[in-house]
Structure formats: C-alpha cells, structure tokens
Amino acid sequence: MITLRRSEDRGLADHGWLHSRHSFSFADYHDPAHMGFGNLRVINEDRIAPGTGFGTHGHRDMEIVSYVLEGALAHKDSMGNGAAIVPGEVQRMSAGTGVRHSEFNHAQDATTHFLQIWLLPDRQGITPGYEQKAFSEADKRGRLRLVASSDGRDGSVTVHADAAIHAGLFDGDESARLALDPARLAYVFVARGHIDVNGQRLNTGDAAALRNETALALANGEGAEVLVFDLAP
C-alpha cells in the first residue's frame, strides 16, 4: 500500500529568517495523522536566510541527520565539533544523553537549503556522537546510494537506529529498483524535481509512505533528488 503526502499539505512555519516545511508534527505544527512514520520522526525542509541561523540549543535521545541541498550549514556543538556542511555531505549527530549545538548560514548573499531528519534511536542514554561524510554526485547518479545505516556499511554514516537512508539523482531514462521487506516500512521523499514512485508521479516536496510492499521502483526522473528510508515498523 502506498500513501502519498503532497508537498502543499505539509506544515508550514515562516519566521522571516527561517522558512520550514514539516512532513510530520513539529513545534507549533500538530497533526495527529502525521506524528511520524515508523521510527522516522521528523523531516523538516528548512531554508535559512543569509547571515542567520539557529542559536545554541539542546537535544537528547535522538539521531539527527542533516542533508544539505544548497548553500552551507555551519555546525558547532558542545562535543567540540565545528564544520561546514555543504551539498553532497551527510551529517549525523547522536544527541544521546544530551548535546547542545548551533547551525548558521554565514553567507551574506545565499540561502542555505537543507533537510533536517530525526530518527528515534534504538536505545536511550548513549554517549553523544558526531559523523560527517561526503557522497559524490557520481555515487548517486542513476542509483540509490546508501548514505546512512545502523552498521555504517558501504561507507555510510552510522545511525543508532533501526533504519537506513539511500539517496539518488535521476534524469531521463535513469531508474532504480530496491527490494523491500514487506514487514518493514519505506518512505520516499522527493527533495527536488519530479519522479515516478511505483508508477505514481511525485513532485518536489512530495513523499510516499509504503507499507507491505516488496519493491520500490523509481523512474522517469526530471532533475530529481530522492531520499529513501528503510524503517522499523
């Protein structure tokens, strides 16, 4: 069974310096029908205005993945990490027993556009951690590249959650197929462009929630960048 979540139906928060669309309930946006999907709790599509950002704030017991689409995201945390995350890079921060961090767009003439993803951890109270890796466009062109997993296989970042994330870029006749365990859940998010997901057309910001499916087929992409989540039910 496939359930579509259209971009325009997502929650919206516009703070001037921050424009955010929420796939699931978050902050002042509350929708009992969209509290998460399996152990995927948050997908926020954020745009941070030039010279602004999130001041220092805290998290705990959450796996937080940042995926930058445009611009750069400057990260600094209480573990001593400081880095700029740019397109093609995936950052994982394990909040565990507690961590504080800030995220800024230091550019004066460009918006930072990124996805903030939260996964429920498979256990609470772990030691906070951080990881950041780059994945080239060639790695994702016309295929689904594993970028995050519970065991860090194939060079992916390690998330302390029963989940995996694939990323892919698709144009024209490029296609991909992924076998699914029907006992698990899958979630497809179209970060940009257009693509067919199991025969259904999805546009930028759209998503598809898959239950009891044995395969995922992606085809007919037009400038598409896609994230695919394999999730615990």
Side-chain angles (χ1 to χ4, degrees):
M1 181 176 71
I2 302 177
T3 304
L4 300 186
R5 172 79 158 145
R6 295 298 184 186
S7 175
E8 60 269 21
D9 296 329
R10 294 178 294 170
L12 170 64
D14 193 343
H15 302 288
W17 66 274
L18 172 69
H19 182 280
S20 184
R21 298 304 302 251
H22 307 315
S23 294
F24 305 108
S25 294
F26 187 86
D28 292 334
Y29 168 63
H30 180 74
D31 182 348
H34 296 93
M35 296 300 296
F37 187 66
N39 55 351
L40 175 59
R41 179 61 189 85
V42 167
I43 301 179
N44 288 348
E45 183 183 3
D46 291 344
R47 288 177 169 85
I48 305 175
T52 66
F54 300 93
T56 302
H57 59 284
H59 297 281
R60 65 182 303 122
D61 290 323
M62 194 66 69
E63 295 292 293
I64 300 172
V65 176
S66 296
Y67 187 98
V68 176
L69 296 164
E70 295 176 312
L73 184 68
H75 168 96
K76 186 175 182 180
D77 65 44
S78 55
M79 295 178 283
N81 299 296
I85 312 162
V86 297
E89 294 183 336
V90 176
Q91 177 217 65
R92 180 267 302 169
M93 186 178 74
S94 299
T97 54
V99 66
R100 294 179 63 78
H101 76 143
S102 61
E103 297 160 297
F104 273 89
N105 173 15
H106 290 308
Q108 296 304 306
D109 58 357
T111 296
T112 294
H113 180 198
F114 78 108
L115 302 177
Q116 181 181 160
I117 298 158
W118 292 9
L119 294 162
L120 298 173
D122 51 22
R123 61 192 183 278
Q124 296 190 335
I126 67 172
T127 300
Y130 180 93
E131 189 178 12
Q132 183 174 332
K133 290 187 176 182
F135 300 90
S136 71
E137 180 173 332
D139 281 342
K140 296 177 286 187
R141 172 56 56 194
R143 63 188 291 258
L144 288 171
R145 172 63 161 97
L146 185 69
V147 298
S149 65
S150 60
D151 56 4
R153 65 187 182 277
D154 298 333
S156 60
V157 301
T158 301
V159 290
H160 301 91
D162 185 2
I165 306 173
H166 291 80
L169 302 170
F170 299 93
D171 264 308
D173 60 0
E174 295 171 339
S175 63
R177 188 174 179 87
L178 184 68
L180 301 178
D181 180 347
R184 294 177 62 80
L185 302 174
Y187 197 82
V188 181
F189 181 82
V190 181
R192 55 183 150 204
H194 318 273
I195 197 165
D196 290 349
V197 177
N198 284 19
Q200 300 197 54
R201 194 66 170 172
L202 270 67
N203 304 310
T204 302
D206 290 348
L210 288 77
R211 298 178 176 87
N212 303 313
E213 295 288 330
T214 59
L216 169 69
L218 302 176
N220 301 316
E222 297 178 43
E225 184 160 6
V226 181
L227 293 183
V228 176
F229 299 82
D230 170 61
L231 304 163

